Amino acid sequence: MYSKRKKTYERHNIWRSYSDMMAGLLLLFVLVMCISFMQAQKNYQEKLAEEAAHQKTQSQLLSELEERENLVASQQAALDEQEDLLASQQNDLEDQAALLAQQQEDLDAKSALVLSQQSELEKQNSLMLQQQAALDEQEELMAQQQQKIEQIIGIKADLISALKQEFDQQSLNVVIDEADGSIALDSNILFGYNENELTDEGNAMLSEILPVYCKVLMSEKYQDYLAEVRIDGYTDTSGDYLYNLQLSQERALAVANYLIESCSSFLNAEEQANLQSKLTANGHSMSNPVYTSDGQIDMDASRRVEIKFSLKDEEMINELKQVMDNAAVATE
């Protein structure tokens, strides 16, 4: 019984030991499980923390990425705006370049026009210089001609004055035209009606007038300037022109014949030769009649013989003087 108890006790101890061992193992298992759970929990927590940190990092990265995307978008917008501005500036630049090209073209055209005008101006200046030189030359020539005119006019005026003085000294009532120095002789005294032969009264009148007139003209003072001594016959306006032309010519010749035949009594040989080389006789028929103050033809005064003179170059000088007078009037 003791042995049975002992065996039972031993058996009980074995089960207790087994139970303790199993309990220990269970406890160990529980402990291991707790440790594993705790380790797993720790790992899970760490993983969660790591996941949270990773999540946070990812959020930060996303936030940073979003910020960067926003920044990039802002920079892209700014870049687009700058590109638009650059494109606008490029267009403006192209427009300005086109405008500058047009302005340059206009400037080139204006420069060409200015050069053309400058060339034309230089041509005009050259022409003006030539014209001025020609004008100066012409003015010098005209001054010389004017001096010559004044000299001839002075000589003519002096000659007319000498004729008047000589007639006054001889107490001869002779009217001398102060413009040309001519003397009008009444044909009614010199000739009979429709006659061409000198009357006694006409011979007497010529013997008084012609010596004085010709002596002054043929004097040494004036003979170098004398170009012509003219005897001009005129009739009135009645009758036939050709008949009057012949009559006026014959009367002028009659006076010229008388002068040539009688000049030896008051002129020396040299003066006679000089007179003959310059004397002309001309008939003018009924041209250049004499008019009264009321505009009517004076038939008696129109029948006349005129004795006149002309100086060398006088006709040319008269024409030149008229041109100069016209030019002077045009420049006023």
Side-chain angles (χ1 to χ4, degrees):
M1 184 146 172
Y2 174 76
S3 110
K4 188 177 179 184
R5 266 185 204 181
K6 185 177 179 181
K7 287 182 181 179
T8 303
Y9 178 75
E10 286 177 1
R11 190 180 294 124
H12 180 72
N13 283 335
I14 291 171
W15 282 105
R16 179 179 287 184
S17 296
Y18 179 76
S19 176
D20 289 338
M21 184 184 66
M22 291 300 290
L25 289 173
L26 180 61
L27 181 62
L28 179 63
F29 176 76
V30 171
L31 182 60
V32 171
M33 290 296 292
C34 287
I35 292 171
S36 297
F37 178 77
M38 289 176 64
Q39 186 66 37
Q41 184 69 26
K42 181 180 179 181
N43 290 336
Y44 179 73
Q45 292 294 331
E46 289 178 356
K47 189 173 183 180
L48 286 177
E50 185 179 354
E51 184 72 22
H54 181 71
Q55 184 75 23
K56 182 178 180 180
T57 302
Q58 189 174 8
S59 297
Q60 290 177 349
L61 291 175
L62 289 174
S63 178
E64 291 177 359
L65 180 61
E66 185 177 356
E67 289 178 358
R68 289 181 181 180
E69 286 179 352
N70 291 335
L71 179 61
V72 169
S74 176
Q75 291 176 346
Q76 183 65 38
L79 182 61
D80 293 339
E81 184 177 354
Q82 289 179 353
E83 287 180 351
D84 292 339
L85 179 61
L86 183 61
S88 177
Q89 291 176 345
Q90 182 67 28
N91 292 332
D92 293 341
L93 184 61
E94 291 176 356
D95 292 340
Q96 290 178 355
L99 180 60
L100 183 61
Q102 182 63 39
Q103 291 176 343
Q104 183 64 39
E105 184 178 350
D106 294 340
L107 182 61
D108 293 340
K110 289 180 180 178
S111 298
L113 179 61
V114 169
L115 290 175
S116 177
Q117 291 176 342
Q118 183 68 28
S119 177
E120 186 65 24
L121 183 60
E122 290 175 356
K123 290 181 182 179
Q124 291 179 356
N125 287 337
S126 177
L127 180 60
M128 287 179 64
L129 290 175
Q130 294 176 1
Q131 291 176 342
Q132 184 63 42
L135 182 60
D136 293 340
E137 183 179 355
Q138 186 177 7
E139 287 179 350
E140 182 179 358
L141 178 61
M142 290 179 68
Q144 296 174 357
Q145 294 294 344
Q146 180 66 30
Q147 184 178 4
K148 191 172 182 180
I149 288 173
E150 292 174 354
Q151 181 182 8
I152 295 297
I153 291 175
I155 292 172
K156 189 171 187 177
D158 186 65
L159 178 54
I160 293 173
S161 178
L163 286 171
K164 292 176 65 177
Q165 183 178 0
E166 191 65 26
F167 280 119
D168 290 340
Q169 289 178 356
Q170 298 296 328
S171 300
L172 295 175
N173 188 19
V174 176
V175 179
I176 300 177
D177 191 315
E178 295 187 2
D180 59 9
S182 62
I183 299 173
L185 305 176
D186 190 350
S187 291
N188 296 322
I189 297 176
L190 293 175
F191 306 99
Y193 188 75
N194 282 342
E195 296 293 332
N196 58 15
E197 293 184 3
L198 292 169
T199 62
D200 293 339
E201 189 177 6
N203 285 323
M205 182 173 64
L206 293 178
S207 66
E208 292 179 346
I209 295 174
L210 291 182
V212 176
Y213 193 83
C214 291
K215 190 69 177 176
V216 174
L217 290 180
M218 296 297 113
S219 64
E220 184 177 355
K221 183 177 180 180
Y222 302 113
Q223 65 178 347
D224 289 339
Y225 298 98
L226 190 65
E228 183 182 18
V229 179
R230 295 174 55 185
I231 299 176
D232 293 330
Y234 298 90
T235 67
D236 58 28
T237 58
S238 63
D240 180 71
Y241 177 84
L242 290 177
Y243 175 81
N244 286 329
L245 179 62
Q246 182 178 355
L247 180 61
S248 63
Q249 181 70 47
E250 290 172 349
R251 287 179 173 179
L253 284 172
V255 175
N257 286 332
Y258 175 87
L259 178 58
I260 294 299
E261 291 174 357
S262 63
C263 66
S264 59
S265 62
F266 53 86
L267 297 176
N268 59 37
E270 181 181 355
E271 291 172 341
Q272 292 178 49
N274 192 23
L275 174 62
Q276 290 179 10
S277 67
K278 294 176 172 58
L279 182 64
T280 61
N282 306 280
H284 298 277
S285 187
M286 58 181 68
S287 63
N288 197 22
V290 178
Y291 291 89
T292 62
S293 59
D294 58 357
Q296 301 297 319
I297 294 177
D298 188 335
M299 303 294 281
D300 291 334
S302 296
R303 294 189 294 271
R304 68 198 185 279
V305 174
E306 292 183 357
I307 301 175
K308 61 182 68 175
F309 65 88
S310 62
L311 302 179
K312 291 178 179 179
D313 299 328
E314 187 175 3
E315 291 183 1
M316 179 271 293
I317 290 173
N318 287 334
E319 293 178 359
L320 180 59
K321 184 175 182 299
Q322 184 177 3
V323 171
M324 291 176 64
D325 291 341
N326 294 335
V329 171
T331 56
E332 290 180 354

